Amino acid sequence: MKNRTLYFGDNLEILREKFPDKPDGDGYFDLIYLDPPFNSNRNYNVLFKEGLVDSEAQVQAFKDSWHWTQEAEKVFEELVGAKQSKTKTNQNISDLILAFEKMIGKNDVLAYLTMMTIRLIELKRVLKNAGSIYLHCDPTASHYLKIVMDAIFGKKNFRNEIVWHKNSGGIGRTAFSKRHEILFFYSKTDNYFYDGKAIGELREQEKGTFGGYFGKDEDGREYREVRKAGKIYKYYMDEPRNPEDVWEVPQIPERDKTERLGYQTQKPEALLERVIKASSRENDWILDPFCGCGTTVAVAEKLNRNWVGIDITALAINLIKHRLQKQFAEKHIKIEVDGLPKDLTGAKSLFKKDPFEFEYWVLDLVNAVPAQSKTKENMRGADKGVDGIIVFFAGPKNGKSEHGKILVQVKGGGVQRNDIATLKGDIEREKADGGLFVTLEKPTRPMIQEAVGVGNFSVDYSKAEFPKIQILTVEELLSGKRPNFPPSSGTYYKEAKPVEIDNSKNQHKLFN
């Protein structure tokens, strides 16, 4: 297990395949934090800065909805005991799932609880015996998930219900304002690491508000001595107090240009710092199985922890890579990416499994952001044209940086000459400088001739000319070949510095 790894795929499959039972019976991770979707039926979007003035692209990352499907039915049967080959289901869990079924029926809510339960079972398995887990949820699901956690981790291992008061949220009109979320803190055993003073605050402690004996040690430090159950406890007055279970941590402001990435469910780094400092030491292993935009792994990196992140969307994996690229540019960290294609066979498999994720993966290979409002729904029908945009530096003008743009079209299926004609029309309509056609299959000779016939374009600061339309195959991209365009201006972040990403057998640098 490498110390900076992002896994692309279903976290249930990854936990089972990549983290088998260890001979010593212990787990892999000292701390697990998860912030799973809440079944709120909302769509979560990612906002990308394209590098152009007043230009942004909003892309749907996933739909926060769960449905009772054949997969949910299969997992349900596995949990209640019909199929126990993979899941170590105890009687308490089986009884709980059956009780949920009787209470709420086989519907979307039960699908959500079923899918979460089977994953929490695996998370307990990979948690070290001395480890801790924090499950982050909002009031929509907290009452259900607390019962699930009790059944899996045991009531005696429940440590805290932490209230995150985020100082923002809906303004109550017919009920009280909703401005908090819940974190359930459980350990795997009684032997777990906890250092509340690592996040505690120094506060003035007036003697008159406390009982006990007050004295000074040989170094002149003042302390309070208290006798409890026949034992004497000494509390130094200049030490941080153990924090309470209500955390006042502001949500990231909407206009924050430093930390906010545009990911709707993004949590503030200050919140994750509290979790990681209190329940792990330097060089401990941290896991986030729903890592989204990567706040957990970013904070783990900042605090010198080893980390693993898992997400089911290539969009999230790419976003995290670029976030870490900017945030830790001077460290030149090397990130291992597992699950994305490393060869042509893998690329074909990904396209067959999910064309939507295949497209995101290809766009990242060429430093392109997805086109605005791309969703799985509008990709299921006829081809909509532009899939992504590459922004490049076109030269200074009137004291400002000018940018140009390249439209990107990705094809995984059959290709034909008309595809190039369509891209040419898109370039003219969008007033773009050029186009890039990426294909999983080899282009036909008429396609190549059509692209060459479109001509070239140039930029003011260079004598070089660039093809108006270029065709690259996925196989060429995997071998290290890149488009012949002016230097990228950075589509995810401005002024980003390169960092090596160990994404395949061929390492490459982003934003060359």
Side-chain angles (χ1 to χ4, degrees), residues 104-146:
I104 59 181
K106 289 186 175 180
N107 53 26
D108 295 351
V109 176
L110 185 62
Y112 171 66
L113 294 173
T114 299
M115 293 302 190
M116 283 304 305
T117 299
I118 199 166
R119 284 160 175 79
L120 286 166
I121 291 171
E122 292 299 324
L123 291 173
K124 180 186 178 184
R125 182 181 62 81
V126 301
L127 184 64
K128 288 184 179 179
N129 292 332
S132 301
I133 181 170
Y134 288 73
L135 172 59
H136 189 141
C137 50
D138 70 2
T140 306
S142 60
H143 52 301
Y144 292 119
L145 293 175
K146 174 65 165 57

Side-chain angles (χ1 to χ4, degrees), residues 16-174:
R16 287 174 168 175
E17 294 174 6
K18 302 295 183 178
F19 302 96
D21 290 342
K22 296 174 72 173
D24 61 5
D26 205 355
Y28 294 82
F29 300 100
D30 302 279
L31 171 63
I32 297 174
Y33 168 88
L34 64 154
D35 178 19
F38 300 136
N39 204 43
S40 59
N41 294 315
R42 290 183 295 174
N43 298 337
Y44 291 94
N45 300 327
V46 177
L47 196 65
F48 290 91
K49 302 289 185 181
E50 293 183 2
L52 301 172
V53 177
D54 297 326
S55 180
E56 296 175 335
Q58 184 167 284
V59 182
Q60 182 179 300
F62 64 90
K63 272 193 170 184
D64 178 15
S65 57
W66 303 74
H67 302 290
W68 190 260
T69 61
Q70 287 186 340
E71 182 184 5
E73 180 77 44
K74 180 181 177 181
V75 172
F76 175 86
E77 293 297 330
E78 188 174 332
L79 288 173
V80 299
K83 299 177 182 178
Q84 297 189 33
S85 58
K86 291 183 179 180
T87 305
K88 296 180 180 179
T89 306
N90 62 38
Q91 192 61 45
N92 287 341
I93 296 171
S94 177
D95 291 345
L96 176 61
I97 296 300
L98 287 170
F100 279 152
E101 180 198 17
K102 290 180 180 179
M103 181 175 65
I104 59 181
K106 289 186 175 180
N107 53 26
D108 295 351
V109 176
L110 185 62
Y112 171 66
L113 294 173
T114 299
M115 293 302 190
M116 283 304 305
T117 299
I118 199 166
R119 284 160 175 79
L120 286 166
I121 291 171
E122 292 299 324
L123 291 173
K124 180 186 178 184
R125 182 181 62 81
V126 301
L127 184 64
K128 288 184 179 179
N129 292 332
S132 301
I133 181 170
Y134 288 73
L135 172 59
H136 189 141
C137 50
D138 70 2
T140 306
S142 60
H143 52 301
Y144 292 119
L145 293 175
K146 174 65 165 57
I147 302 174
V148 172
M149 292 292 283
D150 280 348
I152 295 173
F153 287 88
K155 296 178 182 178
K156 65 182 181 67
N157 291 320
F158 168 68
R159 302 302 165 190
N160 281 106
E161 176 178 296
I162 299 165
V163 177
W164 170 37
H165 183 235
K166 51 189 178 179
N167 301 320
S168 64
I171 299 175
R173 298 186 185 279
T174 60

